[in-house]
Amino acid sequence: METEKFKVYNYRWIVLCAYMFIVAVNQLLWITFAPITADATRYYNVTDLQIGILSMCFMIVYIVASIPASWIIDTYGIRIGVGIGAVLTGVFGLLRGWVANDYNLLLLSQIGIAIGQPFLLNAITKISARWFPIEERATASGLGTLAMYIGILIGILLTPFLTKGHGINGMLFIYGVISIIAALIFLILVKEHPRTAPCRPDQEERSLVWTG
């Protein structure tokens, strides 16, 4: 496909799909305990608030980590910036399955995943500008954002079912395996940029984090 003599690679959709997968998994891990609050309070013998903190920590951490994450993405690019978020999601997602019996270690794992969240969510415009021609960037950004809600929806619908069939430990381990697979897929498939730019240099807008 040619757009104003600049080559647009079909591989851009593989990059976007790999990004959407890790974003969806990150959001699935965030929402995990919301639909099973009652079961989780009994299992860990804690209060509803303590189970709520497992999800609320994502919002708290985002406020603190968002600007540094954006700076790293802008400065070092997709492979390093978003790769940090993918690794944190995969490693701590899997760790949740290993420490599923201990609430305190589980909370630390959730915080680890939460630190990775802004490295993922803040990168969609960077990926769109780096890989997509200007007329497709709204679509790419929209799909990247849609992945967040797909992950949340899957988490809400699937978690009670998995908990009933495999228990909380089994459910967390299954999600852990999925998270490490998503991280590996991202690290293996996603490239920093195509061989040639998909647009003119003046169409590849770059807003520094402090300007934003």
Side-chain angles (χ1 to χ4, degrees), residues 32-33 36 39-40 43-44 96-97 100-101 158-176:
T32 298
F33 293 95
I36 58 165
D39 293 329
Y43 183 79
Y44 292 106
R96 289 197 323 174
N101 291 321
L158 187 59
T159 301
F161 174 78
L162 290 179
T163 301
K164 183 177 180 180
H166 302 278
I168 289 179
N169 278 26
M171 175 270 294
L172 291 176
F173 183 76
I174 291 171
Y175 283 169

Side-chain angles (χ1 to χ4, degrees), residues 20-95:
M20 290 176 64
F21 187 22
I22 191 64
V23 167
V25 169
N26 182 273
Q27 296 302 284
L28 182 153
L29 299 181
W30 163 51
I31 206 67
T32 298
F33 293 95
I36 58 165
T37 298
D39 293 329
T41 55
R42 289 192 296 269
Y43 183 79
Y44 292 106
N45 193 28
V46 296
T47 65
D48 287 354
L49 177 59
Q50 286 174 287
I51 297 301
I53 289 173
L54 295 173
S55 298
M56 287 188 290
C57 68
F58 275 69
M59 292 170 275
I60 298 170
V61 170
Y62 190 90
I63 295 173
V64 177
S66 183
I67 290 179
S70 296
W71 180 82
I72 290 173
I73 293 167
D74 182 71
T75 304
Y76 297 103
I78 297 168
R79 287 282 300 170
I80 293 178
V82 187
I84 291 173
V87 169
L88 288 171
T89 298
V91 170
F92 284 101
L94 185 60
L95 185 61

